[in-house]
Amino acid sequence: MIKKVLATFVTAAVVGAGGLAVASAATPGPSSSAPTTAATAAGHPKARLGLRKLGFETAAKTIGLSPADLLKAMKGGHTIAAVAADHHVAESTVVSAVETALDHAVQQAEANGKITGAQETKIEQGIAKRVPKLVEAKPGALIRHRVVRGAVDVSAKTIGVTTDSLRQSLASGQSVADVANAHHVQPQTVVDALVKAGDTRVDALTSHHRISSARAAKLKARLPQLAQRFVNRTRGSEQSS
């Protein structure tokens, strides 16, 4: 699992802000697979990925574009809302379509017994809150959010705490290193886990010809520094930087 969770963390560093970074993490697959994937478990990385794919595919279709064309249109920092406006589609129309598609997938998951009614309600509340923000967010903001989320997932698993618990600690002003020390885990162990996950993802991107060998080498050289910075950063220092 660790090998996959940090995919966006690495991809963002590879291609920087813009449509290509979104492409690697959100390029939709077959639409029929999204509800099934989303139904695996509430909050599971694969479930989130399935919902993201379905949402992106729905946004593109609503605007009248293919997912690939929507990604191209987002290059340079354009939001989905801006692309929709360029194609004379109201932002509210895109938001409504994406929310409807995601809600349907979640409801189907609950009907098939993949998630509980309580989980369905919680996920749908999250959809209503996040979809408008995602439609208005620039690619760089989406990348940063998902970079942090992926890194938190890896860190939590390495430390042996839940993701929610680690998030709460970070929100209170602690660093990942502080939490690791409190659980008798060396911060360097977390750094090593992040780097290992990153290295694996870089290798996968290279083997799929998404990045060149030269770029892969540069990225791998940066991973230790990026991971160290993430592990030692506190909420206060992040806001002041």
Side-chain angles (χ1 to χ4, degrees):
M1 183 62 65
I2 287 180
K3 294 180 180 180
K4 298 180 180 179
V5 179
L6 205 55
T8 308
F9 173 76
V10 175
T11 305
V14 172
V15 294
L20 289 179
V22 179
S24 64
T27 301
S31 59
S32 60
S33 66
T36 300
T37 306
T40 54
H44 192 282
K46 288 185 177 180
R48 292 195 299 265
L49 178 60
L51 290 175
R52 285 198 301 267
K53 287 181 177 180
L54 176 59
F56 191 82
E57 184 178 57
T58 302
K61 183 177 180 180
T62 304
I63 296 170
L65 299 173
S66 69
D69 285 340
L70 176 55
L71 287 170
K72 291 179 182 178
M74 292 176 68
K75 287 183 180 179
H78 300 294
T79 66
I80 293 176
V83 176
D86 288 342
H87 289 78
H88 310 290
V89 177
E91 177 182 337
S92 59
T93 300
V94 179
V95 170
S96 178
V98 172
E99 288 181 346
T100 298
L102 298 184
D103 284 344
H104 177 73
V106 173
Q107 290 163 7
Q108 186 176 34
E110 193 277 335
N112 292 336
K114 301 296 184 179
I115 59 176
T116 65
Q119 288 174 323
E120 176 191 353
T121 299
K122 183 176 181 180
I123 295 171
E124 288 180 343
Q125 289 173 345
I127 288 171
K129 181 185 300 183
R130 294 176 184 174
V131 169
K133 294 180 180 179
L134 293 175
V135 171
E136 294 177 354
K138 291 185 177 181
L142 292 172
I143 293 167
R144 286 191 294 273
H145 173 73
R146 290 162 67 179
V147 163
V148 172
R149 184 171 63 192
V152 168
D153 287 345
V154 171
S155 300
K157 184 169 183 177
T158 305
I159 296 170
V161 298
T162 66
T163 300
D164 286 343
S165 173
L166 180 56
R167 285 175 179 160
Q168 291 172 4
S169 297
L170 298 179
S172 70
Q174 296 184 65
S175 66
V176 173
D178 292 333
V179 179
N181 285 325
H183 288 81
H184 309 291
V185 175
Q186 291 294 322
Q188 186 60 43
T189 301
V190 182
V191 172
D192 291 343
L194 291 169
V195 172
K196 181 179 180 180
D199 283 342
T200 301
R201 180 57 180 173
V202 170
D203 290 339
L205 291 171
T206 305
S207 66
H208 286 87
H209 307 291
R210 293 187 181 181
I211 60 174
S212 66
S213 297
R215 179 161 290 192
K218 290 181 179 179
L219 177 59
K220 284 189 174 185
R222 289 188 60 202
L223 281 174
Q225 179 184 4
L226 293 172
Q228 190 78 45
R229 185 184 304 169
F230 174 79
V231 168
N232 290 302
R233 178 175 294 173
T234 62
R235 186 171 184 177
S237 65
E238 183 175 334
Q239 291 174 340
S240 63
S241 60

